[in-house]
Amino acid sequence: MTLAEMNFFQRMLYILERYSGSLLRGAATTMAIAIICTALGCVIGFAVGLVQTIEPKKKDGLFKRGLLKVVKAILTAYVEVFRGTPMMLQAAFIYYGASSLFNINLGMWTAAIIIVSINTGAYMAETVRGGILSVDPGQKEGARAIGLSQSQSMMLVILPQALRNVMPQIGNNLIINIKDTCVLSIIGTVELFFTFRSISGALYTYFEAATITMIIYFILTFACSRILRWVESKMDGPSNFDLATTDMLAFTSGLTKYDEKKGGTH
Amino acid sequence: MEEILKIEHLVKDFGNNKVLKDIDFSVNKGDVISIIGSSGSGKSTLLRCINMLEDATGGSILYHGKDILKGEVNEDAYRTRVGMVFQSFNLFNNYTVLDNCILGQTHALKRNKTEAKAKAMQYLTKVGMDQYINAKPRQLSGGQKQRVAIARALSMDPEVLLFDEPTSALDPEMVGEVLDVMSNLARTGMTMLVVTHEMAFARDISSRVMFMSDGKIEEEGSPKEIFYNPKSERTKEFLSRFTNG
């Protein structure tokens, strides 16, 4: 039976039989790039967002204030440029720019990771800035008041709470990255979308190949969103807000027995 | 008597708004000073300036003779010696009760974990919160949170504790438990500076009372002098609102 004589499902099965290896490799590449780049993007985002929220102190000299201003301006430019241009063009710009201007031939992986990471970083920077600003200022005052330094307060008290605040956005970025790695096909990265194009190009079965590839993309993103939701609920701890008490006489509504071992109310 | 803090000509402006105008007083070891006065008289700002949460505009704050405003003492080290308890508790939401009391000890004082834990347990027991060491702040009532906040401040073994309206955010029924803890502290000789609207506490527990009005210390004296024989008209007017209301 030739491909033309098959029906839709038979063609899908045919593609799966012949190309399941390539599809899996493509999916793995896509996931690897998405996860690595979201992680690196978060690191960039936290660093940039952190600097953006530094307020100059009165005591600081002119040099320190000036330096902070210049660094902030550069970071703002970075955020605006990478948020404001298509990633597909950024990919072409960096990949071909590196080879024609500096004679550097970025490998497929290096180029892909650099591009998606700095793109994610630009989005995360703003998210992190918002996450830090949304932590109650009293938390910082509490930390400074017992003698923790500026950086200790940030690392031990503010950032962990900001991280919880931005978790939904990190998940969002991971899912966007899973899908958006498809633009890397412009520089020849063999990820899932590239695999789709190869299959559809070889067999002229666009509809069937697109269906299979879409299903794979959806499985990847859906699984990630569920996993991240689970991580968030783990970070939150028990979901009830009842007050803890060990006093059985005060054991009325709104109060639950406090469990010493579990540290919560159950 | 050993002088811990000496505040001289302290001035604080917020733009054109002069919140503190030439404040002078000193804190000796063992003093329990209550600062009373109407809202907006500068009480909290004074406390926040002493803890350097606000930058004073002028004057000096001498800690054992060294001016903290001129940077003669390391800011963070100074804060470990002069603790603060806030109106809104400011417990670290991402840590348990026990870790709230350990964090400052291990990171600011570089105590080891065992020693820090023992110290934290000692003070959590003192404020009656030792049973709740694994609870997160959000599971505690306001009064419980404030007791933990006091234990957190005490765990640093400070020389002076500053209280910024510690009971103002609490339900009336919880005010008592916090005031009890504070009274016990005062009796054990802790040096305290308390901004408060609890007149009974100011009258019965403190060794000295300062009445602030319009950014200045209007009157200062023993609780007896201030409450039963106030000299300034403003003090009389302020206190009459409490006794008649």
Side-chain angles (χ1 to χ4, degrees):
Chain A
M1 192 159 51
T2 64
L3 212 54
E5 294 161 353
M6 295 179 183
N7 67 24
F8 176 69
F9 293 103
Q10 286 169 322
R11 277 191 220 129
M12 294 243 289
L13 278 175
Y14 179 77
I15 292 173
L16 281 177
E17 261 171 44
R18 268 192 70 179
Y19 292 101
S20 60
S22 324
L23 283 167
L24 282 178
R25 266 195 303 279
T29 309
T30 289
M31 274 314 285
I33 293 173
I35 291 173
I36 294 170
C37 294
T38 306
L40 287 176
C42 284
V43 174
I44 297 173
F46 268 89
V48 175
L50 208 59
V51 175
Q52 298 280 37
T53 54
I54 295 176
E55 294 287 341
K57 278 191 264 177
K58 263 190 186 161
K59 286 177 274 182
D60 291 343
L62 215 59
F63 176 73
K64 213 170 163 191
R65 283 165 163 266
L67 185 69
L68 187 65
K69 228 173 194 170
V70 172
V71 171
K72 276 190 183 182
I74 293 171
L75 293 179
T76 307
Y78 154 67
V79 170
E80 295 299 341
V81 168
F82 279 88
R83 275 200 317 183
T85 53
M87 189 159 79
M88 205 170 202
L89 277 175
Q90 293 164 15
F93 182 78
I94 292 175
Y95 186 68
Y96 297 113
S99 68
S100 67
L101 283 182
F102 305 105
N103 235 345
I104 302 169
N105 272 315
L106 293 171
M108 173 198 103
W109 277 92
T110 325
I113 287 169
I114 289 176
I115 291 152
V116 183
S117 298
I118 53 180
N119 192 282
T120 312
Y123 281 94
M124 281 305 297
E126 282 299 286
T127 308
V128 169
R129 195 172 68 88
I132 291 173
L133 292 180
S134 69
V135 174
D136 170 22
Q139 295 287 309
K140 187 182 172 194
E141 292 194 344
R144 297 306 309 272
I146 54 169
L148 294 177
S149 67
Q150 182 92 32
S151 54
Q152 285 172 331
S153 309
M154 213 17 139
M155 297 311 288
L156 298 167
V157 178
I158 313 292
L159 273 191
Q161 294 184 51
L163 176 67
R164 173 61 193 92
N165 288 344
V166 302
M167 267 310 280
Q169 197 53 36
I170 291 177
N172 227 349
N173 268 315
L174 178 61
I175 286 168
I176 289 172
N177 279 345
I178 292 173
K179 295 183 299 168
D180 280 6
T181 46
C182 75
V183 306
L184 294 172
S185 57
I186 197 178
I187 56 168
T189 308
V190 189
E191 40 69 69
L192 194 49
F193 186 74
F194 192 94
T195 316
F196 156 73
R197 286 210 311 192
S198 315
I199 296 171
S200 54
L203 302 178
Y204 295 103
T205 52
Y206 286 94
F207 182 41
E208 292 78 1
T211 310
I212 290 174
T213 318
M214 264 179 77
I215 292 172
I216 297 174
Y217 268 117
F218 181 75
I219 292 171
L220 296 179
T221 55
F222 190 71
C224 286
S225 93
R226 293 294 117 172
I227 291 170
L228 283 160
R229 197 58 73 75
W230 178 78
V231 172
E232 275 179 45
S233 70
K234 278 279 147 193
M235 286 171 92
D236 283 343
S239 60
N240 76 61
F241 275 78
D242 289 338
L243 295 179
T245 182
T246 49
D247 180 3
M248 291 308 283
L249 289 174
F251 201 63
T252 55
S253 67
L255 294 170
T256 46
K257 176 135 176 56
Y258 173 74
D259 189 324
E260 248 180 276
K261 278 191 209 101
K262 288 184 188 159
T265 54
H266 300 278
Chain B
M1 211 183 280
E2 190 190 346
E3 187 180 76
I4 300 173
L5 286 169
K6 190 173 175 62
I7 285 94
E8 290 178 323
H9 306 297
L10 190 70
V11 177
K12 171 68 184 172
D13 303 339
F14 287 111
N16 289 326
N17 186 10
K18 295 190 187 317
V19 183
L20 296 178
K21 305 167 185 169
D22 202 17
I23 301 278
D24 276 293
F25 73 100
S26 49
V27 181
N28 296 321
K29 194 168 163 52
D31 274 353
V32 177
I33 303 176
S34 290
I35 305 174
I36 58 173
S38 321
S39 299
S41 57
K43 308 179 301 282
S44 289
T45 307
L46 171 60
L47 226 54
R48 293 171 60 83
C49 282
I50 295 177
N51 199 262
M52 297 175 84
L53 288 173
E54 301 285 352
D55 293 320
T57 315
S60 54
I61 299 173
L62 303 176
Y63 170 70
H64 291 295
K66 286 180 184 150
D67 194 346
I68 58 163
L69 299 182
K70 291 210 182 79
E72 288 168 14
V73 185
N74 175 280
E75 186 179 328
D76 297 326
Y78 166 75
R79 286 208 184 96
T80 65
R81 307 299 299 143
V82 179
M84 180 132 172
V85 173
F86 298 87
Q87 180 177 353
S88 49
F89 328 122
N90 296 349
L91 290 181
F92 308 136
N93 294 326
N94 53 330
Y95 291 99
T96 62
V97 165
L98 184 64
D99 287 337
N100 260 277
C101 299
I102 287 179
L103 201 66
Q105 297 187 65
T106 50
H107 287 88
L109 296 177
K110 309 286 175 213
R111 283 184 186 149
N112 71 47
K113 194 107 197 215
T114 332
E115 189 191 349
K117 191 179 171 190
K119 191 67 101 178
M121 283 310 294
Q122 176 195 337
Y123 287 113
L124 282 168
T125 310
K126 196 167 179 177
V127 301
M129 287 301 293
D130 51 318
Q131 295 199 50
Y132 298 94
I133 52 170
N134 293 321
K136 286 279 180 79
R138 64 167 193 194
Q139 295 171 309
L140 304 178
S141 69
Q144 291 175 326
K145 280 185 205 169
Q146 196 60 297
R147 278 146 62 196
V148 173
I150 293 172
R152 178 175 74 180
L154 286 172
S155 300
M156 305 297 288
D157 291 319
E159 271 184 280
V160 188
L161 262 189
L162 312 173
F163 291 83
D164 185 10
E165 304 196 27
T167 57
S168 298
L170 299 177
D171 289 339
E173 53 185 324
M174 291 169 183
V175 170
E177 65 187 59
V178 173
L179 289 181
D180 279 348
V181 167
M182 289 170 64
S183 308
N184 283 333
L185 266 183
R187 264 180 232 119
T188 57
M190 183 78 214
T191 311
M192 293 158 67
L193 203 55
V194 187
V195 168
T196 186
H197 289 289
E198 297 292 330
M199 291 305 139
F201 177 86
R203 188 188 60 211
D204 301 336
I205 307 299
S206 41
S207 57
R208 244 193 314 156
V209 178
M210 292 190 335
F211 171 68
M212 277 187 74
S213 170
D214 196 24
K216 281 179 287 202
I217 298 174
E218 182 77 17
E219 194 168 351
E220 184 183 354
S222 71
K224 237 184 200 163
E225 287 166 344
I226 299 288
F227 283 97
Y228 299 112
N229 194 15
K231 293 189 179 60
S232 150
E233 281 307 314
R234 286 196 175 175
T235 318
K236 281 179 197 165
E237 193 199 320
F238 174 78
L239 289 172
S240 72
R241 267 183 273 155
F242 280 91
T243 44
N244 299 339

